[in-house]
Amino acid sequence: MNSNIKRKFKILYIIGLVLLFASLFLEWYVFQVYNSSDKLIAYWSYNPLIGWSTIFSKGSTFNNIAKPGELQMPLVLTGLFMVILVISGFSVIFKDIESQNDLEKLFPYSYVNLFLIALNLYYIFAFPVFYLLPHKLYFPFLLIKDREMDVVYYYSIGPGYILQIIGFIMIFPYSTFYYNTLVRFKSKEQSPDKVIKKYVQHVQETLDLDKLIANEELKLKFVDKPIDIKEDFEFNYKKVKKRRAKP
Amino acid sequence: MNYTVLDTKLKTLIKLCKETKNYKKLAVVAFILTSNILDEIGIKLGIRPRDKASEETQYRYMKLVNSILTKNFKLILFKDEILDSINLIEREFLKRKGEIPLDHITEIFKIYYEIRKIDVPNLHKQWESNIISEDSDINLYSFLSPAKRQKLNSSENKLKPLILHKLKTKERTIQKELNSSYDKNLFESVIYLKKAKNSLKKEENGKIILTGQLKDNIEYQRSLDNILGYSFIGVFILFFLLGIIVTLEAILFPLLTAAMSFLFLVTYCVSVLFFILYWKNFRNEES
């Protein structure tokens, strides 16, 4: 069961990446207006790459009046999202965690995967909160009947945004697992030499010879009477004490 | 550590301290340097560092290192002369709070350089047969290294008592050589032989440590179940976030609160439910 579960989540991750990529070319938000006879009189859909678009011609007056305000989502971020998606896909397909001997080399890919999650979450959260709501575009679905004008307004998130949500559920488990596994097993793989070197540095008393030399030079130049040695070592002693106090 | 830079700085400091007659500073520096080098030696040999908090003297620490090495490898690392002089000088240093005569300072620097010359092997590193000198017949036992040992077949296993005897004899000979004059390569050979011996004994107990890729690691295989737990966390995060969005919308447009009530219930309930599911089923496994 164990070996299968990882493969299943890996496939799920790849499908998630495809869905996230596809979402960038679909509608994220749809705004429609129907008249009393259920005829569509205005239609606007939002996509992060091309902005608002409509199925009506430019000459349709009511449609033009009903157009929501520009959301101005940064295109750079969308471009970055696409690049991260490609790198992440590459890492999952070609840099399998199980068959690598040097886990340290996989760390950059794990950070890319985490960044992808962060961007994905940003879109899920920031799109409605910072772009839709300030323009009175309601989330996630709302139907408002305007009895004065005798029209019905439909506000709804589009398939692109829904794919962002589904994509998040699909990519989150594997990328978290990827990162956690690296952190967990990489720490065990650290070379003993490095660990020992770090530990030796940690326990050794700090000796700042440059500072001691500078102090002596100062004494030689400006002070006639000898200065108490305590001053020179007080700093180092405190430093060592502080370091040792750490668990 | 770059000893050339250290020595140059030390030379400058000694010169300056001589001019300022600040010998106490030199004494403290000498003791710190000796303490640091002793810590390094101890740690490399797998011994704890000097316990400065409980004021363990350098002399006592050196005695401890010697006793451990004698017990394990029949080796005396710090000669009696060094121990005697450090004992004498250290006692005076502590008693007079650093104000020791110049000849004692010179002596402690001599001891520092003497100890620094001792090049001990790092006991924590993985031992492979190729680190042993090619001239040495220790290489004959290299087939006992963990990687090669797995290739032994049953007929070779019958030779174990003989191999163990040979190892012990060889170990004793090297230990004798080592005690007459310290040599890092000889010390490494003794450690290697000891490891080979232990490795052979462990095999008798049926304990063989395997190394390889992650997929062969039993701990990794067990951790695979956590991936399901992460999907629960993912759903929890997602629905909690959607709940926050709906809450913000209700704050911005109070008229929508009634219409949003169902979404409140769904988002927060699902997030709490998945968090509880994760906590109950996966939290303990991860820790």
Side-chain angles (χ1 to χ4, degrees), chain B residues 14-76:
Chain B
I14 291 169
K15 206 179 148 193
L16 285 165
C17 286
K18 266 186 179 176
E19 284 183 50
T20 54
K21 306 228 180 304
N22 195 350
Y23 298 122
K24 190 176 174 180
K25 183 182 263 187
L26 282 180
V28 176
V29 168
F31 268 96
I32 290 177
L33 285 170
T34 320
S35 165
N36 285 350
I37 201 81
L38 285 174
D39 276 338
E40 194 177 329
I41 288 173
I43 292 165
K44 275 185 177 174
L45 292 171
I47 303 166
R48 63 159 175 84
R50 188 166 70 89
D51 190 358
K52 289 142 202 154
S54 62
E55 291 173 358
E56 182 183 30
T57 60
Q58 295 186 13
Y59 164 73
R60 276 196 175 188
Y61 185 69
M62 287 162 91
K63 287 272 276 182
L64 173 86
V65 174
N66 263 359
S67 70
I68 292 170
L69 292 183
T70 314
K71 207 174 169 184
N72 286 279
F73 306 107
K74 309 258 181 314
L75 168 74
I76 296 162

Side-chain angles (χ1 to χ4, degrees), chain A:
Chain A
M1 188 239 175
N2 263 345
S3 54
N4 279 337
I5 196 167
K6 191 215 145 210
R7 209 176 58 213
K8 279 175 191 166
F9 273 93
K10 192 175 171 177
I11 293 167
L12 208 66
Y13 186 87
I14 295 165
I15 296 169
L17 290 183
V18 175
L19 294 184
L20 287 177
F21 198 81
S23 78
L24 295 174
F25 303 97
L26 295 171
E27 299 152 340
W28 281 35
Y29 197 80
V30 181
F31 171 66
Q32 300 166 76
V33 186
Y34 288 87
N35 64 12
S36 54
S37 53
D38 277 349
K39 193 188 168 200
L40 186 67
I41 51 171
Y43 180 96
W44 288 98
S45 63
Y46 184 79
N47 175 275
L49 287 172
I50 53 169
W52 289 111
S53 61
T54 181
I55 50 170
F56 287 95
S57 63
K58 280 184 180 176
S60 173
T61 323
F62 187 79
N63 189 52
N64 289 343
I65 293 167
K67 187 186 176 185
E70 280 304 328
L71 302 189
Q72 288 171 338
M73 275 182 83
L75 258 177
V76 183
L77 219 59
T78 316
L80 186 68
F81 188 68
M82 288 165 105
V83 174
I84 296 291
L85 276 173
V86 173
I87 300 173
S88 184
F90 170 82
S91 77
V92 172
I93 296 166
F94 299 107
K95 301 281 174 189
D96 187 54
I97 202 163
E98 283 185 350
S99 49
Q100 287 287 318
N101 286 320
D102 190 1
L103 292 180
E104 202 166 356
K105 283 181 184 167
L106 296 181
F107 259 100
Y109 295 109
S110 74
Y111 293 133
V112 166
N113 294 344
L114 289 184
F115 188 58
L116 177 68
I117 288 181
L119 270 180
N120 188 194
L121 275 178
Y122 168 79
Y123 277 136
I124 292 171
F125 183 76
F127 179 64
V129 174
F130 300 122
Y131 299 102
L132 296 180
L133 297 182
H135 290 88
K136 289 193 176 175
L137 295 167
Y138 304 106
F139 174 88
F141 314 97
L142 200 73
L143 184 151
I144 298 175
K145 282 180 185 168
D146 190 336
R147 293 189 198 283
E148 280 179 24
M149 289 182 74
D150 205 19
V151 288
V152 180
Y153 297 100
Y154 281 98
Y155 298 89
S156 87
I157 51 169
Y161 187 81
I162 293 168
L163 285 189
Q164 281 283 324
I165 291 174
I166 297 169
F168 174 79
I169 294 172
M170 286 176 150
I171 65 164
F172 186 83
Y174 190 77
S175 51
T176 315
F177 169 78
Y178 197 93
Y179 176 74
N180 267 10
T181 307
L182 281 184
V183 170
R184 195 169 165 189
F185 291 93
K186 167 68 190 66
S187 58
K188 285 178 186 173
E189 258 203 353
Q190 265 199 1
S191 77
D193 277 343
K194 272 188 199 168
V195 177
I196 293 303
K197 208 176 166 186
K198 269 189 192 170
Y199 184 58
V200 167
Q201 279 172 353
H202 173 74
V203 297
Q204 280 183 338
E205 288 174 68
T206 321
L207 189 63
D208 191 348
L209 285 175
D210 291 322
K211 193 190 164 205
L212 298 177
I213 291 167
N215 280 354
E216 283 312 299
E217 277 173 342
L218 274 174
K219 273 177 211 169
L220 209 62
K221 276 182 188 171
F222 304 109
V223 187
D224 294 332
K225 56 173 184 176
I227 292 173
D228 190 6
I229 187 85
K230 249 185 170 180
E231 283 175 22
D232 291 330
F233 291 98
E234 212 168 35
F235 173 72
N236 287 333
Y237 174 71
K238 275 181 188 167
K239 231 176 166 180
V240 172
K241 216 175 160 187
K242 229 186 220 175
R243 260 192 320 173
R244 276 195 205 123
K246 284 180 192 168

